Amino acid sequence: MNKLKKLSQEDLDIISQYFSDKANEIILSKVPSKEVLDFDLQIDASYDDEELDINIDVDIALDELSKIKNDDIELAIEEAYNQLDVFIDENYRE
């Protein structure tokens, strides 16, 4: 795998926005909207010493009758990270 390009703040903003959009899309595709009471995503991206670190904090409140489990949300987040890896490989590798 090729080395990560030097990232600017604009690059971090684009990566963060992509990841936020993708995580939002994937999570909400797995959870029926009528079961979501509250949903909030926070993305924290940093780039230090040529290392990119991206963390996500998902706060989702579901209807008490929802059959969605925490594992389902974790799998959706993992899928979003996998798609983020592809996005970074295609756009930010030398």
Side-chain angles (χ1 to χ4, degrees):
M1 183 172 304
N2 295 338
K3 183 177 165 185
L4 192 63
K5 295 178 185 176
K6 182 165 177 59
L7 300 177
S8 66
Q9 183 58 49
E10 183 180 355
D11 294 331
L12 282 178
D13 293 343
I14 291 168
I15 291 167
S16 295
Q17 186 62 53
Y18 175 86
F19 188 44
S20 177
D21 292 346
K22 197 52 70 176
N24 189 42
E25 173 188 321
I26 293 170
I27 291 168
L28 293 178
S29 75
K30 310 279 185 201
V31 180
S33 61
K34 65 183 179 183
E35 294 180 13
V36 177
L37 303 176
D38 191 27
F39 181 60
D40 186 42
L41 269 175
Q42 297 287 330
I43 306 294
D44 180 39
S46 63
Y47 179 69
D48 295 314
D49 298 324
E50 297 183 10
E51 187 169 315
L52 177 62
D53 186 30
I54 301 178
N55 296 302
I56 185 170
D57 182 26
V58 178
D59 186 17
I60 186 166
L62 300 173
D63 181 88
E64 62 186 39
L65 299 176
S66 176
K67 296 192 185 320
I68 299 297
K69 298 192 178 15
N70 203 32
D71 288 347
D72 299 323
I73 303 298
E74 292 295 325
L75 286 172
I77 292 169
E78 185 177 323
E79 184 178 332
Y81 269 114
N82 290 338
Q83 290 192 22
L84 176 64
D85 287 342
V86 171
F87 177 76
I88 290 171
D89 287 347
E90 290 176 351
N91 296 285
Y92 296 99
R93 298 268 179 210
E94 293 181 336

